[in-house]
Amino acid sequence: MKIEEYYASKTKRDVNLRYCGYEECAPDFRMPPHTRSEYLIHYITQGQGSYICEGHTYPIRQGELFIIYPSQLVSYHTSPEDPLHFCWLAFIGENADTLTDQLGFSHSSPVRKLHPQYSIDENIRTLAEHLSSVGFCNDFTIQSLMYSIFSNIAQSYSLSGNYQKESQTILFEHIGKAKSYIKCNYIYPITVQDIVDHVGLERSYFSKIFHKFTGTTAQNYLLNVRIQRSKLLLERTDYTVREICSYVGMKDEYYFSRAFKRSVGLSPTQYRQNVRQDTASSPAAST
C-alpha cells in the first residue's frame, strides 16, 4: 500500500513542502536509478534494505533516516525476507541545504539513526491527512506540521553524541541572530560592534563566519538593508533625503548619498524622480 499527497504552497518560503507519504513495500520492491529535483527524507519504520547513492551502497533498517539530495543518482530496494515500511517528506527552498545540515545529514553521511525517543511516522501521516482534506489545510498548518517533523529530527541529532557546539548548526544560529538584529535595528545608528556584542562572539571570529555564510561583510549587509529600506521611503513618501538618511540609522547625508549611488546607480533624488516618472507614465496612472 502506498499513500502520497502533494502540496503547492501559495507563499514562497525559505523551505517549502512538496509532498509526503508512506508505504508498506512488497518483498520485491526496488526503486530504479533516478534523480530528484527536491530534497527527500525517508524514515524506515520497519524492515531493512539497501540505499545506493552516487555509487555507494548503504544498509538501511528500522529506525533510520536516509536523505536524497537534488540531482543525486540514487536507487533503493528492500530485503525480501524483511520488507521495508517507510514514510517520507520532500521539500525545496533557498535554505533547504542549510536545514539538512542542521538535521545531521551531509553528502558523505546520507544515512543516520533517529533516536528511539523520537518518531516522525505519525507526524508524516497526520501531514498527509491534512493534505488530502480539500479546503481544510492551510499554509500555516502545513508549515507547523513540517517543522514539527524537522524539530524531532533535530532533537534526535542533539542526543546522538555527534552534535558539537561549533557545528554548522550553531554557527548558522549566530548568523541568523545577527541578521535579525540588523533588520530590527537598522533605524538606529548601530555599528558592527553593536551587532558583535549582541551575538556574543569575538569580533574577528564573527566577521569570519558572517562572511562565510553570507558572502559579504556585516558592514555591507547592514548598509544594504539601509539602502533597501531607504528606497521604499523615497518611493512612497515625500521625506527629504536628509530625513530619510536619519530614518535608516545614518547620520552623514553625504556618505548616505554616495553609498546609495554606488549601490543603485543613481542618487537618492534621481531615483525618486525616475520612480515617479515611471509611475506617472504607466497605463494604470493614465486611466
Side-chain angles (χ1 to χ4, degrees):
M1 179 188 71
K2 177 179 178 179
I3 300 293
E4 187 166 69
E5 300 292 343
Y6 299 85
Y7 185 65
S9 175
K10 302 176 184 65
T11 306
K12 184 179 180 181
R13 301 181 184 275
D14 290 340
V15 178
N16 285 95
L17 177 70
R18 292 296 300 274
Y19 55 88
C20 67
Y22 48 92
E23 181 174 9
E24 297 176 4
C25 299
D28 61 348
F29 170 83
R30 180 176 293 271
M31 179 65 73
H34 65 287
T35 61
R36 303 274 182 170
S37 58
E38 60 280 317
Y39 296 78
L40 179 59
I41 294 175
H42 283 76
Y43 172 54
I44 302 167
T45 59
Q46 184 176 316
Q48 56 185 316
S50 296
Y51 172 46
I52 300 92
C53 176
E54 299 291 350
H56 299 281
T57 300
Y58 303 88
I60 49 176
R61 57 183 62 85
Q62 181 178 349
E64 290 184 334
L65 303 147
F66 67 93
I67 189 170
I68 301 172
Y69 288 92
S71 301
Q72 282 188 326
L73 181 63
V74 302
S75 64
Y76 42 97
H77 61 266
T78 190
S79 165
E81 297 78 22
D82 191 9
L84 289 167
H85 294 188
F86 49 48
C87 53
W88 58 87
L89 178 78
F91 53 94
I92 59 173
E94 293 181 0
N95 283 347
D97 201 52
T98 302
L99 181 141
T100 59
D101 288 342
Q102 293 177 286
L103 301 183
F105 295 106
S106 69
H107 287 267
S108 60
S109 299
V111 179
R112 53 174 301 264
K113 188 172 182 60
L114 190 69
H115 194 279
Q117 182 176 331
Y118 296 94
S119 175
I120 63 173
D121 179 32
E122 288 304 317
N123 304 63
I124 291 180
R125 288 174 181 268
T126 299
L127 181 56
E129 289 173 7
H130 277 271
L131 294 180
S132 67
S133 302
V134 178
F136 177 73
C137 67
N138 62 68
D139 195 50
F140 296 108
T141 302
I142 299 309
Q143 288 292 117
S144 174
L145 290 168
M146 180 178 67
Y147 274 97
S148 71
I149 294 167
F150 292 151
S151 176
N152 279 351
I153 298 174
Q155 290 287 351
S156 166
Y157 183 43
S158 70
L159 296 177
S160 68
N162 298 318
Y163 184 83
Q164 301 296 322
K165 272 292 180 183
E166 288 305 311
S167 69
Q168 293 287 98
T169 302
I170 294 300
L171 297 182
F172 182 76
E173 289 176 0
H174 285 315
I175 301 309
K177 188 175 181 181
K179 290 164 72 174
S180 294
Y181 178 79
I182 290 171
K183 291 176 181 178
C184 291
N185 293 278
Y186 73 91
I187 60 175
Y188 305 112
I190 61 171
T191 64
V192 172
Q193 189 59 53
D194 293 320
I195 301 167
V196 171
D197 292 342
H198 177 76
V199 174
L201 295 175
E202 191 272 327
R203 180 161 180 164
S204 62
Y205 179 62
F206 168 79
S207 298
K208 178 182 177 181
I209 65 171
F210 192 94
H211 193 279
K212 175 183 177 181
F213 277 83
T214 66
T216 189
T217 65
Q219 181 66 47
N220 285 339
Y221 187 90
L222 171 60
L223 181 59
N224 184 61
V225 169
R226 285 171 165 161
I227 295 298
Q228 296 306 314
R229 298 303 190 271
S230 68
K231 287 169 67 177
L232 293 176
L233 292 174
L234 287 164
E235 294 167 11
R236 301 178 184 179
T237 75
D238 291 321
Y239 294 129
T240 66
V241 172
R242 174 172 294 182
E243 288 173 322
I244 290 174
C245 171
S246 66
Y247 292 161
V248 296
M250 300 179 72
K251 297 179 179 179
D252 188 335
E253 180 185 350
Y254 179 66
Y255 173 73
F256 165 73
S257 296
R258 282 194 306 158
F260 188 98
K261 186 170 185 178
R262 186 166 57 247
S263 174
V264 180
L266 299 169
S267 70
T269 301
Q270 291 171 329
Y271 177 80
R272 170 179 274 166
Q273 290 172 347
N274 281 14
V275 168
R276 296 192 175 181
Q277 286 173 0
D278 290 342
T279 302
S281 61
S282 66
S286 61
T287 58

